[in-house]
């Protein structure tokens, strides 16, 4: 991509950030300029992308084969993960170059010293995660969670939602019994009543809501933005910044497709995931427009609050400074 095209993409990404109510991308010393890895003149040989069923924009790109056309000299591979922590573990050991997770996984990864960058973000989706109980559960308020067994994926966005719910209820983390399970195992435990509540995100939330008699004790509204972040290997971002910019361009195009051609999007996602079209429709209804932009100062500050909450509870081994691994462009 020519230099002037890159500049135009940067301008469009900044505008897209403004369009969803965020400030412009962080202006700070460039991680690119400080990095040991310099932009490469060789074509990118492989691009391994980690994704989850909730990664709508990535799923659309995968189903449409868009990136294979944009990067004809690159071997593009797609690897599905049950949740963000597993995805970032793969990225940190060199098995991926790029992926999307919720807010908590990057915090745990950074605290563990993993080598990665925050490169982009989508708007908050607070209605897309919830704390679920069965319809006949005696649990009626957040305060009723005290002493209860609650299923969740450790280190996921659900983890942060539960941290905030416990804070709002006014008791301590030690007053609950977190049961750390993957989404599939958590649903099984929830159905057989081995746990009394389950903290989960879409599309698992929507699938359970339509299949079982459940109640959402709370969603993320007022508690957690349920933010989504794009993470990359430092090598990809530093050596192939143009690839990252092109990914953002195509991801935002995929979001427009979801918004403007909803029936076709539902069919593509249902075919990929095996989920019923009604489930896909429900979880897309809760999902706002989600163009991809550079991290704004506001988004980084929100993410720092996530990191600080986990540090206060000693759920991560050390305090982290989110801004230290936010990718910035050399201009």
């Amino acid at each position: 991509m020519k230099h002037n095209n890159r500049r135009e993409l940067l301008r469009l990404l900044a505008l897209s950030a403004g369009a969803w109510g965020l400030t412009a991308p962080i202006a700070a010393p460039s991680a690119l300029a400080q990095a040991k890895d310099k932009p490469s003149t060789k074509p990118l040989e492989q691009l391994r992308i980690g994704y989850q069923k909730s990664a709508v924009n990535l799923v659309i790109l995968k189903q449409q084969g868009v990136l294979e056309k944009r990067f004809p000299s690159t071997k593009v591979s797609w690897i599905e993960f049950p949740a963000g922590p597993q995805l970032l573990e793969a990225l940190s050991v060199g098995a991926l170059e790029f992926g999307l997770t919720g807010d908590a996984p990057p915090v745990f990864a950074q605290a563990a010293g993993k080598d990665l960058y925050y490169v982009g973000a989508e708007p908050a989706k607070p209605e897309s995660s919830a704390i679920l109980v069965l319809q006949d559960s005696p649990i009626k308020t957040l305060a009723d969670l005290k002493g209860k067994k609650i299923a969740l994926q450790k280190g996921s966005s659900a983890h942060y939602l539960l941290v905030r719910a416990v804070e709002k209820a006014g008791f301590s983390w030690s007053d609950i019994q977190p049961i750390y399970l993957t989404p599939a195992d958590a649903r099984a435990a929830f159905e057989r009543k081995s746990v009394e509540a389950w903290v989960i995100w879409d599309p698992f939330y929507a699938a359970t809501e339509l299949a079982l008699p459940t109640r959402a004790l709370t969603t993320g509204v007022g508690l957690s933005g349920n933010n989504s972040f794009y993470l990359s290997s430092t090598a990809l971002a530093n050596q192939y910044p143009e690839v990252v910019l092109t990914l953002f361009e195509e991801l935002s195009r995929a979001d427009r497709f979801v918004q403007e051609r909803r029936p076709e999007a539902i069919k593509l996602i249902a075919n990929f995931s095996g989920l019923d079209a009604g489930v896909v429709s429900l979880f897309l209804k809760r999902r706002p427009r989600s163009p991809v932009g550079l991290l704004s100062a506001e988004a980084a500050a929100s993410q720092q609050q996530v990191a600080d909450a986990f540090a206060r509870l000693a759920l991560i081994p050390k305090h982290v400074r989110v801004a230290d691994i936010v990718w910035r462009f050399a201009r």
Side-chain angles (χ1 to χ4, degrees):
M1 185 181 296
K2 295 180 180 179
H3 184 70
N4 62 337
N5 286 344
R6 188 182 85 148
R7 212 161 27 195
E8 177 63 12
L9 265 179
L10 282 168
R11 184 186 71 81
L12 292 173
L13 289 169
L15 288 174
S16 73
W20 28 279
L22 300 180
T23 59
I26 297 171
S30 168
L32 176 58
Q34 297 170 359
K36 294 180 181 178
D37 296 326
K38 298 300 180 182
S40 176
T41 56
K42 298 178 181 179
L44 179 64
E45 292 184 2
Q46 67 175 353
L47 177 59
R48 295 165 295 180
I49 300 172
Y51 66 103
Q52 306 170 58
K53 285 183 169 60
S54 57
V56 171
N57 290 342
L58 282 173
V59 169
I60 293 296
L61 294 189
K62 178 183 182 298
Q63 292 298 86
Q64 293 181 332
V66 170
L67 298 184
E68 288 79 359
K69 296 171 186 173
R70 288 300 302 263
F71 305 118
S73 300
T74 302
K75 180 182 178 181
V76 179
S77 303
W78 299 86
I79 301 98
E80 185 178 355
F81 292 86
Q86 296 90 330
L87 188 158
L88 289 190
E89 180 61 29
L91 192 151
S92 69
V93 299
L96 294 176
E97 281 74 45
F98 189 79
L100 175 72
T101 78
D103 48 21
V107 168
F108 279 77
Q110 185 179 7
K114 305 299 185 183
D115 190 25
L116 45 79
Y117 279 153
Y118 291 93
V119 292
E122 291 180 1
K125 302 173 179 65
E127 295 183 357
S128 296
S129 60
I131 300 178
L132 297 179
V133 295
L134 292 172
Q135 193 68 49
D136 61 358
S137 170
I139 298 173
K140 304 297 182 185
T141 68
L142 294 180
D144 296 333
L145 292 174
K146 189 171 184 178
K148 301 299 190 295
K149 292 180 180 179
I150 306 169
L152 68 150
Q153 167 72 59
K154 185 176 183 178
S156 70
S157 58
H159 204 158
Y160 182 59
L161 175 54
L162 185 57
V163 164
R164 292 287 293 117
V166 166
E167 288 178 350
K168 183 175 180 180
F171 51 86
S172 301
W173 184 256
S174 59
D175 290 326
I176 61 169
Q177 299 180 60
I179 307 297
Y180 297 122
L181 298 169
T182 63
D185 290 338
R187 174 163 170 170
F190 183 66
E191 286 193 55
R192 64 174 179 262
K193 299 187 178 182
S194 298
V195 296
E196 292 146 295
W198 178 23
V199 195
I200 192 57
W201 59 89
D202 275 328
F204 305 105
Y205 168 23
T208 305
E209 190 177 18
L210 293 180
L212 299 174
T214 61
R215 285 184 286 113
L217 194 64
T218 185
T219 65
V221 175
L223 295 174
S224 165
N226 191 33
N227 291 313
S228 299
F229 295 99
Y230 288 90
L231 290 298
S232 90
S233 66
T234 54
L236 176 67
N238 291 334
Q239 294 178 34
Y240 297 96
E242 312 297 349
V243 169
V244 176
L245 294 181
T246 301
L247 285 167
F248 289 175
E249 177 189 10
E250 291 298 342
L251 287 162
S252 294
R253 184 205 58 77
D255 179 65
R256 291 194 298 273
F257 178 87
V258 172
Q259 302 301 330
E260 297 168 6
R261 300 170 67 175
R262 185 60 57 91
E264 292 174 67
I266 289 171
K267 185 175 180 179
L268 281 176
I269 296 167
N271 288 343
F272 149 75
S273 64
L275 294 169
D276 181 82
V279 171
V280 177
S281 178
L282 176 58
F283 97 79
L284 289 183
K285 192 179 299 183
R286 287 196 277 250
R287 175 185 178 271
R289 288 184 176 273
S290 298
V292 180
L294 304 170
L295 260 71
S296 67
E298 199 172 78
S302 175
Q303 187 66 349
Q304 188 62 55
Q305 292 177 349
V306 177
D308 292 346
F310 283 120
R312 280 195 305 272
L313 295 172
L315 294 173
I316 54 175
K318 64 180 181 181
H319 179 269
V320 298
R321 185 172 177 267
V322 167
D324 288 345
I325 61 167
V326 172
W327 182 54
R328 303 172 181 94
F329 293 100
R331 293 179 171 84

